């Protein structure tokens, strides 16, 4: 049974709250594999930063910005 992206994101947030950033990164990576969202990239970036992995954090923060821009561009225009 494959967990959905939301389940992986929630698991990652639990692991992060428990201070296990390695497991949090693994869970956020699972979320990204199932549905790459700005939130998932942002969460993983913060976990990387908590471990002092600045290069990985910067890459994920950039991916979060790109995903956010794509999401905004796909929204229907409102009057």
């Amino acid at each position: 049974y494959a967990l959905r992206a939301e389940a992986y994101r929630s698991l990652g947030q639990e692991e992060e709250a428990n201070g296990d950033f390695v497991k949090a990164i693994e869970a956020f990576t699972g979320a990204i594999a199932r549905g790459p969202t700005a939130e998932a990239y942002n969460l993983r970036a913060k976990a990387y930063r908590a471990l002092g992995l600045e290069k990985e954090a910067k890459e994920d923060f950039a991916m979060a910005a790109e995903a956010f821009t794509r999401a905004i561009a796909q929204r229907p225009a409102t009057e």
Side-chain angles (χ1 to χ4, degrees):
Y1 172 73
L3 293 173
R4 296 186 326 184
E6 299 88 20
Y8 276 96
R9 189 192 71 237
S10 293
L11 176 61
Q13 289 174 306
E14 280 183 40
E15 297 294 359
E16 187 176 47
N18 291 331
D20 193 336
F21 297 104
V22 172
K23 285 186 180 177
I25 289 167
E26 290 172 1
F28 295 140
T29 300
I32 290 166
R34 285 155 183 81
T37 64
E39 180 184 19
Y41 279 114
N42 188 57
L43 289 167
R44 189 172 71 175
K46 291 193 307 184
Y48 277 135
R49 181 166 279 167
L51 291 176
L53 300 171
E54 286 300 317
K55 178 181 178 275
E56 291 84 349
K58 287 179 183 179
E59 289 172 0
D60 270 5
F61 282 131
M63 292 299 293
E66 287 178 29
F68 181 74
T69 300
R70 278 193 308 274
I72 294 297
Q74 293 174 355
R75 293 175 116 176
T78 58
E79 294 183 37

Coordinates of all heavy atoms in Angstrom, one line a residue:
Y1 N 0.8 -1.2 0.0 CA 0.0 0.0 0.0 C 0.9 1.2 0.0 O 1.7 1.5 0.9 CB -0.9 0.0 1.2 CG -1.7 1.2 1.5 CD1 -2.8 1.5 0.7 CD2 -1.3 2.1 2.5 CE1 -3.5 2.7 0.9 CE2 -2.1 3.3 2.7 CZ -3.1 3.5 1.9 OH -3.8 4.7 2.1
A2 N 0.8 2.0 -1.0 CA 1.6 3.3 -1.1 C 0.8 4.4 -0.4 O -0.4 4.6 -0.7 CB 1.8 3.6 -2.6
L3 N 1.6 5.1 0.4 CA 1.0 6.2 1.0 C 0.8 7.4 0.1 O 1.6 7.5 -0.9 CB 1.9 6.7 2.2 CG 2.0 5.8 3.4 CD1 3.1 6.3 4.3 CD2 0.7 5.6 4.1
R4 N -0.2 8.2 0.3 CA -0.4 9.4 -0.5 C 0.6 10.5 -0.1 O 1.1 10.5 1.0 CB -1.8 9.9 -0.4 CG -2.8 8.9 -1.0 CD -4.2 9.4 -1.0 NE -4.5 10.3 0.1 CZ -5.6 10.8 0.4 NH1 -6.7 10.5 -0.4 NH2 -5.8 11.6 1.4
A5 N 0.7 11.5 -1.0 CA 1.7 12.6 -0.7 C 1.3 13.2 0.7 O 2.3 13.6 1.4 CB 1.6 13.6 -1.8
E6 N 0.1 13.4 1.0 CA -0.3 14.1 2.2 C 0.1 13.3 3.4 O 0.5 13.9 4.4 CB -1.8 14.3 2.3 CG -2.4 15.2 1.2 CD -2.8 14.4 -0.1 OE1 -3.0 13.2 0.0 OE2 -2.8 15.1 -1.1
A7 N 0.0 12.0 3.3 CA 0.4 11.1 4.4 C 2.0 11.2 4.7 O 2.4 11.3 5.8 CB 0.0 9.7 4.1
Y8 N 2.7 11.2 3.6 CA 4.2 11.4 3.7 C 4.5 12.8 4.3 O 5.4 12.9 5.1 CB 4.9 11.2 2.4 CG 5.2 9.8 2.0 CD1 4.3 9.1 1.2 CD2 6.3 9.2 2.5 CE1 4.5 7.8 0.8 CE2 6.5 7.9 2.1 CZ 5.7 7.2 1.3 OH 5.9 5.9 1.0
R9 N 3.8 13.8 3.9 CA 4.0 15.1 4.4 C 3.8 15.2 5.9 O 4.6 15.7 6.7 CB 3.2 16.2 3.7 CG 3.6 17.6 4.1 CD 2.6 18.6 3.6 NE 1.3 18.5 4.4 CZ 0.1 18.3 3.9 NH1 -0.1 18.2 2.6 NH2 -0.9 18.1 4.7
S10 N 2.7 14.6 6.3 CA 2.3 14.5 7.7 C 3.3 13.8 8.5 O 3.7 14.2 9.6 CB 0.9 13.9 7.9 OG -0.1 14.8 7.4
L11 N 3.8 12.6 8.0 CA 4.8 11.8 8.7 C 6.1 12.7 8.8 O 6.7 12.7 9.9 CB 5.1 10.6 7.9 CG 6.2 9.7 8.4 CD1 5.8 9.2 9.8 CD2 6.4 8.5 7.5
G12 N 6.4 13.4 7.8 CA 7.6 14.2 7.8 C 7.5 15.3 8.9 O 8.5 15.5 9.6
Q13 N 6.4 15.9 9.0 CA 6.2 16.9 10.0 C 6.2 16.3 11.4 O 6.8 17.0 12.3 CB 4.8 17.6 9.8 CG 4.9 18.5 8.6 CD 3.6 19.1 8.2 OE1 2.6 18.4 8.1 NE2 3.6 20.4 8.1
E14 N 5.7 15.1 11.6 CA 5.9 14.4 12.9 C 7.3 14.2 13.2 O 7.8 14.4 14.4 CB 5.1 13.1 12.9 CG 3.6 13.2 13.1 CD 3.0 11.8 13.1 OE1 3.6 10.9 13.7 OE2 1.9 11.7 12.6
E15 N 8.0 13.6 12.3 CA 9.5 13.3 12.5 C 10.2 14.6 12.8 O 11.1 14.6 13.7 CB 10.1 12.6 11.3 CG 9.5 11.2 11.0 CD 9.7 10.2 12.1 OE1 10.4 10.4 13.1 OE2 9.2 9.0 11.9
E16 N 9.9 15.7 12.1 CA 10.6 16.9 12.4 C 10.3 17.4 13.8 O 11.2 17.9 14.5 CB 10.1 18.0 11.3 CG 10.9 19.3 11.4 CD 10.5 20.2 10.3 OE1 9.2 20.4 10.0 OE2 11.3 20.7 9.6
A17 N 9.1 17.3 14.2 CA 8.7 17.7 15.5 C 9.4 16.9 16.6 O 9.7 17.4 17.7 CB 7.2 17.6 15.7
N18 N 9.7 15.7 16.3 CA 10.5 14.8 17.2 C 12.0 15.0 17.1 O 12.7 14.3 17.8 CB 10.1 13.3 16.9 CG 8.7 13.0 17.3 OD1 8.1 13.6 18.2 ND2 8.1 12.0 16.6
G19 N 12.4 15.9 16.2 CA 13.8 16.2 16.1 C 14.6 15.2 15.2 O 15.8 15.3 15.1
D20 N 13.9 14.3 14.5 CA 14.6 13.4 13.6 C 14.5 13.9 12.2 O 13.6 13.6 11.4 CB 13.9 12.0 13.7 CG 14.8 10.9 13.0 OD1 15.6 11.3 12.2 OD2 14.7 9.7 13.4
F21 N 15.4 14.8 11.8 CA 15.4 15.5 10.5 C 15.7 14.5 9.4 O 15.3 14.8 8.3 CB 16.3 16.7 10.6 CG 15.9 17.7 11.6 CD1 16.5 17.8 12.8 CD2 14.8 18.5 11.3 CE1 16.1 18.8 13.8 CE2 14.3 19.4 12.3 CZ 15.0 19.5 13.5
V22 N 16.5 13.5 9.6 CA 16.8 12.5 8.6 C 15.6 11.8 8.1 O 15.3 11.7 7.0 CB 17.9 11.5 9.0 CG1 18.1 10.4 8.0 CG2 19.3 12.3 9.3
K23 N 14.8 11.3 9.1 CA 13.5 10.6 8.8 C 12.5 11.6 8.2 O 11.8 11.3 7.3 CB 12.9 10.0 10.0 CG 13.7 8.7 10.4 CD 13.0 8.0 11.5 CE 13.7 6.7 11.9 NZ 13.1 6.0 13.0
A24 N 12.6 12.9 8.6 CA 11.7 13.9 8.1 C 12.0 14.1 6.6 O 11.1 14.1 5.7 CB 11.8 15.2 8.8
I25 N 13.3 14.2 6.3 CA 13.7 14.4 4.9 C 13.3 13.2 4.0 O 12.8 13.3 2.9 CB 15.2 14.6 4.8 CG1 15.6 16.0 5.3 CG2 15.7 14.4 3.4 CD1 17.1 16.2 5.6
E26 N 13.4 12.0 4.6 CA 12.9 10.8 3.8 C 11.4 10.9 3.5 O 11.0 10.5 2.4 CB 13.3 9.5 4.6 CG 14.7 9.2 4.7 CD 15.1 8.1 5.7 OE1 14.1 7.5 6.3 OE2 16.3 7.8 5.8
A27 N 10.7 11.3 4.5 CA 9.2 11.4 4.4 C 8.9 12.5 3.4 O 8.0 12.3 2.5 CB 8.5 11.6 5.7
F28 N 9.5 13.6 3.5 CA 9.2 14.7 2.6 C 9.6 14.3 1.1 O 8.9 14.7 0.2 CB 9.9 16.0 3.0 CG 9.4 16.6 4.3 CD1 10.3 17.1 5.2 CD2 8.1 16.6 4.6 CE1 9.9 17.6 6.4 CE2 7.6 17.1 5.9 CZ 8.5 17.6 6.8
T29 N 10.7 13.6 1.0 CA 11.1 13.1 -0.3 C 10.0 12.2 -0.9 O 9.7 12.3 -2.1 CB 12.4 12.4 -0.2 OG1 13.4 13.3 0.2 CG2 12.9 11.8 -1.6
G30 N 9.4 11.4 -0.1 CA 8.3 10.5 -0.5 C 7.1 11.4 -0.9 O 6.4 11.1 -1.9
A31 N 6.8 12.4 -0.2 CA 5.7 13.4 -0.6 C 6.0 14.0 -1.9 O 5.1 14.1 -2.8 CB 5.5 14.4 0.5
I32 N 7.2 14.4 -2.1 CA 7.6 15.1 -3.4 C 7.5 14.1 -4.6 O 7.0 14.5 -5.6 CB 9.0 15.7 -3.3 CG1 9.0 16.9 -2.3 CG2 9.6 16.1 -4.7 CD1 10.4 17.3 -1.9
A33 N 7.9 12.8 -4.3 CA 7.8 11.8 -5.4 C 6.4 11.6 -5.8 O 6.1 11.2 -7.0 CB 8.4 10.5 -4.9
R34 N 5.4 11.8 -4.9 CA 4.0 11.5 -5.2 C 3.2 12.7 -5.6 O 2.1 12.6 -6.1 CB 3.4 10.8 -4.0 CG 3.8 9.4 -3.9 CD 3.7 8.9 -2.4 NE 4.2 7.5 -2.4 CZ 5.5 7.2 -2.3 NH1 6.4 8.1 -2.3 NH2 5.9 5.9 -2.3
G35 N 3.8 13.9 -5.3 CA 3.1 15.2 -5.7 C 4.0 16.3 -5.3 O 3.9 16.9 -4.2
P36 N 4.9 16.7 -6.2 CA 5.8 17.8 -5.9 C 5.1 19.2 -5.7 O 4.6 19.7 -6.7 CB 6.7 17.8 -7.1 CG 6.0 17.2 -8.2 CD 5.0 16.2 -7.6
T37 N 5.0 19.6 -4.5 CA 4.4 20.9 -4.2 C 5.4 21.8 -3.6 O 6.4 21.4 -3.0 CB 3.2 20.7 -3.2 OG1 3.7 20.2 -2.0 CG2 2.1 19.7 -3.8
A38 N 5.0 23.1 -3.6 CA 5.9 24.1 -3.0 C 6.0 23.8 -1.5 O 7.1 23.9 -0.9 CB 5.3 25.5 -3.2
E39 N 4.9 23.4 -0.9 CA 5.0 23.1 0.6 C 5.9 22.0 0.9 O 6.7 22.1 1.8 CB 3.6 22.8 1.1 CG 3.6 22.5 2.6 CD 2.2 22.1 3.1 OE1 1.4 21.6 2.3 OE2 2.1 22.1 4.3
A40 N 5.9 20.9 0.1 CA 6.7 19.8 0.4 C 8.2 20.1 0.2 O 9.0 19.7 1.0 CB 6.3 18.6 -0.6
Y41 N 8.5 20.9 -0.9 CA 9.9 21.3 -1.1 C 10.3 22.2 0.1 O 11.5 22.1 0.5 CB 10.1 22.0 -2.4 CG 10.2 21.1 -3.6 CD1 9.3 21.0 -4.6 CD2 11.4 20.3 -3.7 CE1 9.4 20.2 -5.7 CE2 11.5 19.4 -4.8 CZ 10.5 19.4 -5.8 OH 10.7 18.5 -6.8
N42 N 9.5 23.1 0.5 CA 9.8 24.0 1.5 C 10.1 23.3 2.9 O 11.0 23.6 3.6 CB 8.7 25.1 1.7 CG 9.1 26.2 2.7 OD1 10.1 26.9 2.5 ND2 8.3 26.4 3.7
L43 N 9.2 22.3 3.2 CA 9.4 21.6 4.4 C 10.7 20.8 4.4 O 11.4 20.7 5.4 CB 8.2 20.6 4.6 CG 6.9 21.3 5.0 CD1 5.7 20.3 4.8 CD2 7.0 21.8 6.4
R44 N 11.0 20.2 3.2 CA 12.3 19.4 3.1 C 13.5 20.4 3.2 O 14.5 20.0 3.9 CB 12.3 18.6 1.9 CG 13.5 17.6 1.8 CD 13.5 16.7 0.7 NE 13.8 17.4 -0.6 CZ 13.9 16.7 -1.7 NH1 13.7 15.4 -1.8 NH2 14.1 17.4 -2.8
A45 N 13.4 21.5 2.6 CA 14.4 22.5 2.7 C 14.7 22.9 4.1 O 15.9 23.0 4.6 CB 14.1 23.8 1.9
K46 N 13.7 23.1 4.9 CA 13.9 23.5 6.3 C 14.5 22.3 7.1 O 15.4 22.6 8.0 CB 12.5 23.9 7.0 CG 12.0 25.2 6.4 CD 10.9 25.8 7.2 CE 9.7 24.9 7.4 NZ 8.6 25.5 8.1
A47 N 14.2 21.1 6.8 CA 14.8 20.0 7.5 C 16.3 19.9 7.1 O 17.1 19.6 7.9 CB 14.0 18.7 7.1
Y48 N 16.6 20.1 5.8 CA 18.0 20.1 5.4 C 18.7 21.2 6.1 O 19.8 21.0 6.6 CB 18.1 20.4 3.9 CG 17.9 19.2 3.0 CD1 17.1 19.3 1.8 CD2 18.6 18.0 3.2 CE1 17.0 18.2 0.9 CE2 18.4 16.9 2.3 CZ 17.6 17.0 1.2 OH 17.5 16.0 0.4
R49 N 18.1 22.4 6.2 CA 18.8 23.5 6.9 C 19.1 23.1 8.4 O 20.1 23.5 8.9 CB 18.0 24.7 6.8 CG 18.7 25.9 7.5 CD 18.1 27.2 7.1 NE 18.6 27.6 5.8 CZ 18.1 28.6 5.1 NH1 17.1 29.3 5.4 NH2 18.7 28.9 3.9
A50 N 18.1 22.4 9.0 CA 18.3 22.0 10.4 C 19.5 21.1 10.6 O 20.1 21.1 11.7 CB 17.0 21.4 10.9
L51 N 19.8 20.4 9.5 CA 21.0 19.5 9.6 C 22.3 20.2 9.1 O 23.3 19.6 9.0 CB 20.8 18.2 8.7 CG 19.7 17.3 9.3 CD1 19.5 16.1 8.3 CD2 20.1 16.7 10.6
G52 N 22.2 21.5 8.7 CA 23.3 22.2 8.2 C 23.7 21.9 6.8 O 24.8 22.3 6.3
L53 N 22.7 21.4 6.1 CA 22.9 21.0 4.6 C 22.4 22.2 3.8 O 21.3 22.1 3.2 CB 22.2 19.7 4.3 CG 22.7 18.5 5.1 CD1 21.8 17.3 4.8 CD2 24.2 18.2 4.8
E54 N 23.2 23.3 3.8 CA 22.8 24.5 3.1 C 22.6 24.3 1.6 O 21.6 24.9 1.0 CB 23.7 25.6 3.4 CG 23.6 26.2 4.8 CD 22.2 26.7 5.1 OE1 21.6 27.4 4.3 OE2 21.7 26.4 6.2
K55 N 23.5 23.6 0.9 CA 23.3 23.5 -0.5 C 22.0 22.8 -0.9 O 21.3 23.3 -1.7 CB 24.5 22.6 -1.1 CG 24.4 22.3 -2.6 CD 25.6 21.5 -3.0 CE 25.6 21.2 -4.5 NZ 24.7 20.0 -4.8
E56 N 21.7 21.7 -0.2 CA 20.4 21.0 -0.4 C 19.2 21.9 -0.1 O 18.2 21.9 -0.8 CB 20.4 19.7 0.4 CG 21.4 18.6 -0.1 CD 22.8 18.8 0.5 OE1 23.1 19.8 1.1 OE2 23.6 17.9 0.3
A57 N 19.4 22.6 1.0 CA 18.3 23.5 1.4 C 18.0 24.6 0.4 O 16.9 24.8 0.0 CB 18.6 24.2 2.8
K58 N 19.1 25.2 -0.1 CA 18.9 26.2 -1.2 C 18.3 25.7 -2.4 O 17.4 26.3 -3.0 CB 20.3 26.9 -1.5 CG 20.7 27.8 -0.4 CD 22.1 28.4 -0.7 CE 22.6 29.3 0.4 NZ 23.9 29.8 0.1
E59 N 18.7 24.5 -2.8 CA 18.1 23.8 -4.0 C 16.6 23.6 -3.8 O 15.8 23.9 -4.7 CB 18.8 22.5 -4.3 CG 20.2 22.7 -4.8 CD 21.0 21.4 -4.9 OE1 20.4 20.3 -4.6 OE2 22.1 21.4 -5.4
D60 N 16.2 23.1 -2.6 CA 14.8 22.9 -2.4 C 14.0 24.2 -2.2 O 12.9 24.3 -2.7 CB 14.6 22.0 -1.1 CG 14.6 20.5 -1.5 OD1 14.8 20.2 -2.7 OD2 14.4 19.7 -0.6
F61 N 14.6 25.2 -1.6 CA 13.9 26.5 -1.6 C 13.6 27.0 -3.0 O 12.6 27.6 -3.3 CB 14.7 27.5 -0.7 CG 14.5 27.3 0.8 CD1 15.7 27.3 1.6 CD2 13.3 27.2 1.4 CE1 15.5 27.2 3.0 CE2 13.2 27.0 2.7 CZ 14.3 27.0 3.5
A62 N 14.6 26.8 -3.9 CA 14.4 27.3 -5.3 C 13.3 26.4 -5.9 O 12.5 27.0 -6.7 CB 15.7 27.1 -6.0
M63 N 13.3 25.1 -5.7 CA 12.3 24.3 -6.2 C 10.9 24.7 -5.7 O 9.9 24.6 -6.4 CB 12.5 22.8 -6.0 CG 13.8 22.3 -6.7 SD 13.6 22.3 -8.5 CE 12.3 21.1 -8.8
A64 N 10.8 25.1 -4.4 CA 9.6 25.5 -3.8 C 9.1 26.8 -4.5 O 7.9 26.9 -4.8 CB 9.8 25.8 -2.3
A65 N 10.0 27.7 -4.8 CA 9.6 28.9 -5.5 C 9.1 28.6 -6.9 O 8.0 29.2 -7.3 CB 10.8 29.9 -5.6
E66 N 9.7 27.7 -7.6 CA 9.3 27.3 -8.9 C 7.9 26.6 -8.9 O 7.0 26.9 -9.7 CB 10.3 26.4 -9.6 CG 11.6 27.0 -10.0 CD 12.5 26.0 -10.6 OE1 12.1 25.0 -11.2 OE2 13.8 26.3 -10.5
A67 N 7.7 25.7 -7.9 CA 6.4 25.0 -7.8 C 5.3 26.0 -7.5 O 4.2 25.9 -8.0 CB 6.5 24.0 -6.8
F68 N 5.6 27.0 -6.6 CA 4.6 28.0 -6.3 C 4.3 28.9 -7.5 O 3.1 29.1 -7.8 CB 5.2 28.9 -5.1 CG 4.2 30.0 -4.7 CD1 3.1 29.7 -3.9 CD2 4.4 31.3 -5.1 CE1 2.2 30.6 -3.5 CE2 3.5 32.3 -4.7 CZ 2.4 31.9 -3.9
T69 N 5.3 29.2 -8.3 CA 5.0 30.0 -9.5 C 4.2 29.3 -10.5 O 3.2 29.8 -11.0 CB 6.4 30.4 -10.1 OG1 7.1 31.2 -9.2 CG2 6.2 31.3 -11.4
R70 N 4.5 28.0 -10.6 CA 3.6 27.1 -11.5 C 2.2 27.0 -11.0 O 1.3 27.1 -11.8 CB 4.2 25.7 -11.6 CG 5.4 25.6 -12.6 CD 5.7 24.2 -12.9 NE 5.9 23.3 -11.8 CZ 7.1 23.3 -11.1 NH1 8.2 23.9 -11.6 NH2 7.2 22.5 -10.1
A71 N 2.0 26.9 -9.7 CA 0.7 26.7 -9.2 C -0.1 28.0 -9.4 O -1.3 28.0 -9.7 CB 0.8 26.4 -7.7
I72 N 0.5 29.1 -9.2 CA -0.2 30.4 -9.4 C -0.5 30.6 -10.9 O -1.6 31.0 -11.2 CB 0.7 31.6 -8.9 CG1 0.9 31.6 -7.4 CG2 0.2 32.9 -9.4 CD1 -0.3 31.7 -6.6
A73 N 0.4 30.2 -11.8 CA 0.1 30.4 -13.2 C -1.0 29.5 -13.7 O -1.7 29.8 -14.6 CB 1.4 30.0 -14.0
Q74 N -1.3 28.4 -13.0 CA -2.3 27.5 -13.4 C -3.7 27.8 -12.8 O -4.7 27.3 -13.2 CB -2.0 26.0 -12.9 CG -0.8 25.5 -13.7 CD -0.3 24.1 -13.1 OE1 -0.8 23.6 -12.1 NE2 0.7 23.5 -13.8
R75 N -3.7 28.8 -11.9 CA -5.0 29.2 -11.4 C -5.8 29.9 -12.4 O -5.3 30.7 -13.2 CB -4.8 30.1 -10.2 CG -4.2 29.5 -9.0 CD -3.9 30.5 -7.9 NE -4.7 30.2 -6.8 CZ -4.7 30.9 -5.7 NH1 -3.9 31.9 -5.6 NH2 -5.4 30.5 -4.6
P76 N -7.1 29.7 -12.4 CA -7.9 30.5 -13.4 C -8.0 31.9 -13.0 O -8.0 32.3 -11.8 CB -9.3 29.8 -13.2 CG -9.3 29.0 -12.0 CD -7.8 28.8 -11.6
A77 N -8.0 32.8 -14.0 CA -8.1 34.2 -13.7 C -9.5 34.6 -13.2 O -10.5 34.0 -13.5 CB -7.9 35.0 -15.0
T78 N -9.5 35.5 -12.2 CA -10.7 36.0 -11.6 C -10.9 37.4 -12.0 O -10.0 38.1 -12.3 CB -10.7 35.8 -10.1 OG1 -9.6 36.6 -9.6 CG2 -10.6 34.4 -9.7
E79 N -12.2 37.8 -12.1 CA -12.5 39.2 -12.5 C -12.7 40.0 -11.3 O -13.1 39.7 -10.3 CB -13.7 39.2 -13.4 CG -13.4 38.5 -14.7 CD -14.6 38.6 -15.6 OE1 -15.3 39.6 -15.6 OE2 -14.8 37.6 -16.3

